[in-house]
């Protein structure tokens, strides 16, 4: 692989103007595609094959007006006033009358007619039934909902919204995290390289890649449903991977420059060596993200594919645009800054790393790890196991009003309803009952009577009827995120025969709460399968990469430890509320799709760091048979760049934890912790310690490996050896042979 990438690097460096022009055209085309198609993300999720989705399909066929999203409207009076007083009553009726005239509104439930008034007469609970799914309710309609409620608020009445859709339910992710992440990355790169041009190039190339990736996703969103969280995930991965991939190639190029290799020769050599690792690392991330389709859930598949697309663009930019820009930059990548407090220090550090690596901090760390390998193994594994312990208490679910920020209208509505009516009124179940073949006129009353007798049921009432269908609203005593509510849904489905016995009626359990429960169940069932696929994939890919058995096994064990430790930290903070004030977290259940996404991404990123660290150790082993020395030298050559890459990833992910979004915040937090643990504890500590402990036996492989497992030379050792030992003509011959 390295010789082909060498040829690619030499070609793009020589044809840099053409390469730059192509990427500028691609960026302009992607922007034009997004603007021309007018694509927008949506939160219109479906989970085929579940009972809740079957209920939606039945409603779409026979009661289309009730197949759409539902919004709850909570009215609360200030002080000692009651909602039944003349003035609050008139204001509520005026608001509800305004809702009835809005487009996409199929029905409005008056709380006074439905007797949905709290016992203290201070809170009234109404609802709005839309004729379309949540993702299709227009912003104009939701803006009008908010505008109609404003006069009542001005008069002192509290009006809050919750449900599947409401004003502000799709909060836009601000640009602040991107700016913070980019600024932090630039500072880290400036410290790493000690040169402004070298620090700026990865930022420029990553931004171009992100621009193409995001605008392409928005363009695609006009043809398929793309969840809003997909753009945030693609942005985080595209930005962090784009900077990291460029960092790995640029650091190798700058190292060559400091050694005295001319820029024209160093660029293809850097692409041929570090570029091989970049390709392999990016491919593992892409395959893992595409593997999210194993769950069989469309919105999760789309999230995986769009994020994989962003990573693919980042890889292509690093392999082509970056070498072209390096051709323009020439020797300026080694034009060092001179800090006032330490003049000449950046250049001194770079030259020591190139000519005397045994004097670097990385080599000192390698010596420390190899000397104290057994205590570090025990301590590192203990830290990861303790961090992973909370995973045993993980509770999966999807965001509800309870998990929204406390300042949001959905959270305020949730609290008002819970205190005044009971938590179950925040997530009623919808029993879609087919009475078309009922043998008795009392069938509906019989079914509702039996539903009332079920444990954990607070209320049962009709919610609409048409074309032989009766909608029955079943209100649990527990909230939508409570495990008892999920147990109720399961029991109502298991007891179906007894509940409809003698009536010839049939029913399906649907509604937002049931749909969330079905989605969480589907994801939980898919998690072991996906983990097996990921572990199997890691074994195959890393075996091909290193042509040995023990290296892949150590990588897999480290990956499992780091990913479960990251999930454990997420459970402790977001479920249990440890440090909730510090992280500005609202306690809630773990997102049902978070573990499977974290498994995919951490697998890819851990493979990245494994490849960059172990490939340098393998490269050093080709120079010396001493296992300890090869580990120390390999860590010395990789520690600085892997540290910078991990800190950049960490900074980008941490920046997104400031977003008040119940999907983005826990995802970014878990990724940040996962990257930190995997890079510093697993890849730079445990893996070198294991390799030092096992010694040369770490590289054992059966004889048949040489025949059946290809040697991809991902570390580029053969190419680099040919260059150092031979001439440019020999390198050219190696590329073409």
């Amino acid at each position: 692989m390295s010789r082909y990438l060498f040829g690619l690097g030499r070609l793009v460096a020589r044809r840099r103007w053409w390469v730059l022009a192509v990427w500028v055209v691609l960026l302009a085309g992607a922007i034009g595609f997004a603007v021309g198609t007018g694509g927008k993300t949506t939160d219109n999720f479906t989970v085929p094959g579940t009972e809740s989705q079957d209920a939606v399909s039945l409603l779409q066929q026979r009661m289309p007006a009730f197949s759409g999203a539902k919004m709850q409207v909570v009215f609360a009076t200030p002080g000692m006033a009651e909602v039944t007083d003349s003035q609050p009553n008139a204001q509520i009726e005026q608001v509800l009358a305004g809702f009835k005239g809005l487009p996409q509104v199929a029905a409005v439930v008056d709380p006074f007619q439905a007797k949905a008034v709290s016992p203290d007469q201070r809170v009234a609970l109404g609802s709005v039934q839309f004729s379309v799914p949540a993702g299709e309710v227009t912003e104009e309609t939701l803006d009008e909902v908010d505008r109609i409620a404003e006069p009542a608020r001005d008069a002192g009445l509290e009006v809050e919204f919750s449900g599947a859709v409401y004003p502000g339910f799709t909060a836009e992710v601000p640009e602040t995290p991107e700016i913070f992440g980019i600024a932090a990355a630039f500072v880290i790169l400036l410290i790493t390289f000690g040169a402004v041009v070298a620090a700026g190039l990865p930022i420029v190339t990553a931004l171009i890649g992100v621009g193409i990736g995001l605008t392409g996703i928005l363009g695609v969103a006009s043809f398929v449903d793309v969840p809003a969280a997909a753009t945030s995930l693609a942005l985080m991965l595209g930005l962090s991977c784009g900077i990291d991939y460029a960092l790995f190639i640029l650091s190798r190029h700058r190292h060559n420059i400091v050694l005295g290799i001319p820029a024209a020769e160093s660029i293809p050599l850097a692409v041929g060596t570090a570029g091989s690792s970049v390709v392999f690392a990016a491919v593992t991330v892409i395959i893992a993200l595409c593997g999210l389709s194993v769950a069989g859930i469309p919105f999760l598949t789309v999230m995986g594919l769009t994020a994989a697309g962003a990573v693919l663009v980042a890889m292509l930019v690093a392999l082509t645009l970056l070498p072209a820009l390096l051709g323009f930059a020439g020797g300026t990548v080694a034009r060092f800054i001179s800090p006032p407090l330490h003049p000449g220090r950046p250049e001194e550090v770079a030259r020591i790393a190139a000519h005397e690596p045994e004097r670097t901090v990385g080599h000192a760390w390698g010596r420390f790890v190899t000397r104290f390998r057994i205590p570090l193994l025990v301590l590192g594994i203990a830290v990861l196991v303790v961090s992973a312990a909370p995973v045993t208490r993980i509770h999966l679910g999807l965001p509800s009003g309870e998990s929204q920020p406390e300042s949001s209208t959905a959270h305020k509505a949730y609290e008002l309803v819970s205190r005044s009516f009971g938590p179950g009124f925040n997530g009623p179940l919808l029993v879609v009952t087919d009475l078309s073949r009922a043998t008795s006129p009392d069938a509906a009353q019989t079914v509702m009577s039996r539903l009332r007798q079920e444990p954990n049921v607070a209320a049962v009432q009709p919610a609409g009827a048409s074309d032989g269908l009766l909608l029955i609203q079943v209100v649990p005593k527990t909230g939508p995120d409570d495990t008892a509510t999920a147990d109720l849904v399961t029991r109502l489905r298991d007891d179906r025969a007894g509940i409809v016995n003698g009536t010839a009626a049939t029913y399906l359990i649907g509604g937002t709460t049931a749909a969330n429960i079905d989605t969480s169940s589907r994801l939980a069932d898919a998690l072991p399968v996906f983990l097996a696929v990921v572990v199997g994939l890691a074994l195959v890919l890393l075996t091909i990469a290193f042509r040995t058995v023990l290296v892949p096994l150590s990588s897999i064990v480290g990956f499992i430890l780091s990913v479960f430790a990251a999930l454990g930290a997420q459970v402790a903070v977001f479920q249990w509320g440890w440090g909730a004030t510090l992280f500005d977290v609202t306690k809630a259940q773990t997102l049902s799709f978070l573990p499977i996404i974290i498994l995919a991404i951490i697998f890819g990123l851990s493979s990245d760091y494994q490849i960059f660290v172990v490939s340098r150790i393998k490269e050093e082993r080709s120079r010396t048979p001493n296992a300890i020395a090869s580990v120390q030298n390999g860590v010395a050559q990789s520690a600085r760049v892997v540290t910078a890459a991990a800190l950049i990833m960490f900074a980008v992910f941490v920046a997104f934890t400031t977003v008040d979004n119940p999907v983005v915040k826990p995802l970014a937090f878990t990724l940040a912790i996962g990257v930190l643990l995997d890079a510093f504890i697993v890849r730079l500590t445990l893996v070198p310690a294991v390799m030092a402990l096992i010694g040369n036996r770490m590289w054992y492989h059966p004889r048949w490996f040489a025949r059946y497992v290809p040697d991809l030379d991902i570390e580029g050792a053969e190419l680099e050896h040919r260059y150092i030992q031979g001439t440019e003509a020999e390198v050219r011959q190696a590329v073409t042979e």
Side-chain angles (χ1 to χ4, degrees), residues 133-396:
E136 297 178 20
V137 179
T138 64
E139 292 182 10
E140 291 76 14
T141 296
L142 295 178
D143 289 342
E144 280 298 298
V145 166
D146 209 29
R147 185 191 62 79
I148 291 170
E150 199 59 37
R153 289 177 175 147
D154 293 340
L157 194 68
E158 184 177 1
V159 184
E160 306 295 351
F161 303 101
S162 66
V165 61
Y166 52 85
F169 85 110
T170 54
E172 295 292 332
V173 177
E175 298 177 354
T176 306
E178 305 167 43
I179 297 172
F180 176 83
I182 292 170
F186 181 77
V187 171
I188 294 169
L189 289 170
L190 192 60
I191 295 172
T192 301
F193 289 118
V196 175
V197 173
L201 281 177
I203 303 292
V204 172
T205 55
L207 288 177
I208 292 174
V210 166
I212 294 173
L214 285 185
T215 51
I217 291 172
L218 291 176
V220 170
S222 62
F223 303 99
V224 298
D225 288 340
V226 176
T231 56
S232 297
L233 181 61
L235 178 59
M236 285 189 287
L237 286 180
L239 188 60
S240 55
C241 288
I243 294 175
D244 278 6
Y245 295 160
L247 165 64
F248 291 126
I249 294 176
L250 181 56
S251 64
R252 197 65 172 251
H253 170 61
R254 215 280 295 272
H255 180 80
N256 294 339
I257 293 291
V258 175
L259 286 175
I261 300 175
E265 299 175 16
S266 172
I267 294 172
L269 192 60
V271 175
T273 51
S276 299
S277 298
V278 166
V279 170
F280 205 91
V283 168
T284 57
V285 177
I286 291 169
I287 293 176
L289 289 169
C290 292
L292 290 174
S293 58
V294 170
I297 298 176
F299 82 85
L300 194 60
T301 299
V302 172
M303 285 183 69
L305 293 177
T306 52
V311 174
L312 175 62
V313 173
M315 180 193 74
L316 295 176
V317 167
L319 294 176
T320 57
L321 180 59
L322 176 66
L325 295 180
L326 290 176
F328 287 115
T332 59
V333 294
R335 187 173 296 167
F336 298 95
I337 60 174
S338 185
L341 298 179
H342 299 282
R345 180 60 179 170
E347 182 174 2
E348 180 187 359
V349 169
R351 298 200 177 279
I352 289 175
H355 298 283
E356 301 175 274
E358 65 278 1
R359 292 177 54 194
T360 62
V361 175
H363 199 281
W365 177 250
R367 294 194 301 270
F368 177 77
V369 169
T370 55
R371 181 180 179 184
F372 299 102
R373 48 189 178 273
I374 294 179
L376 286 174
L377 277 171
V378 174
L379 180 61
I381 292 173
V383 169
L384 294 175
V385 170
V386 170
S387 298
V391 172
T392 58
R393 303 292 298 275
I394 195 170
H395 175 203
L396 299 178

Side-chain angles (χ1 to χ4, degrees), residues 280-561:
F280 205 91
V283 168
T284 57
V285 177
I286 291 169
I287 293 176
L289 289 169
C290 292
L292 290 174
S293 58
V294 170
I297 298 176
F299 82 85
L300 194 60
T301 299
V302 172
M303 285 183 69
L305 293 177
T306 52
V311 174
L312 175 62
V313 173
M315 180 193 74
L316 295 176
V317 167
L319 294 176
T320 57
L321 180 59
L322 176 66
L325 295 180
L326 290 176
F328 287 115
T332 59
V333 294
R335 187 173 296 167
F336 298 95
I337 60 174
S338 185
L341 298 179
H342 299 282
R345 180 60 179 170
E347 182 174 2
E348 180 187 359
V349 169
R351 298 200 177 279
I352 289 175
H355 298 283
E356 301 175 274
E358 65 278 1
R359 292 177 54 194
T360 62
V361 175
H363 199 281
W365 177 250
R367 294 194 301 270
F368 177 77
V369 169
T370 55
R371 181 180 179 184
F372 299 102
R373 48 189 178 273
I374 294 179
L376 286 174
L377 277 171
V378 174
L379 180 61
I381 292 173
V383 169
L384 294 175
V385 170
V386 170
S387 298
V391 172
T392 58
R393 303 292 298 275
I394 195 170
H395 175 203
L396 299 178
L398 287 174
S400 67
E402 184 181 21
S403 60
Q404 297 289 342
E406 294 182 2
S407 59
S408 69
T409 184
H411 188 86
K412 293 176 182 177
Y414 186 95
E415 292 298 324
L416 282 171
V417 170
S418 296
R419 289 197 304 265
S420 303
F421 298 94
F425 282 82
N426 285 293
L429 307 176
L430 192 63
V431 181
V432 183
T433 311
D434 189 350
L435 300 173
S436 58
R437 298 181 181 179
T439 57
S440 167
D442 298 328
Q445 293 299 325
T446 300
V447 171
M448 287 193 292
S449 175
R450 291 171 178 172
L451 288 172
R452 290 189 184 97
Q453 295 172 12
E454 289 287 326
N456 198 34
V457 171
V460 176
Q461 56 191 20
S466 177
D467 193 22
L469 287 184
L470 171 66
L471 301 186
I472 302 174
Q473 182 172 275
V474 175
V475 180
K477 294 179 180 178
T478 50
D481 301 328
D482 200 297
T483 53
T485 302
D487 293 340
L488 173 61
V489 171
T490 301
R491 190 168 57 253
L492 291 179
R493 290 169 175 171
D494 292 343
D495 295 349
R496 196 187 326 257
I499 292 173
V500 300
N501 184 39
T503 65
T506 60
Y507 67 74
L508 298 171
I509 306 296
T512 301
T513 299
N516 289 347
I517 292 170
D518 287 344
T519 302
S520 299
S521 176
R522 174 73 70 83
L523 286 165
D525 292 341
L527 196 57
V529 177
F530 182 74
L531 180 59
V533 170
V534 165
V535 169
L537 178 66
L539 187 61
V540 172
L541 292 177
L542 293 174
T543 298
I544 293 174
F546 297 110
R547 306 181 83 240
T548 181
V549 177
L550 295 181
V551 169
L553 290 177
S554 66
S555 177
I556 290 170
V557 172
F559 153 67
I560 293 174
L561 286 173

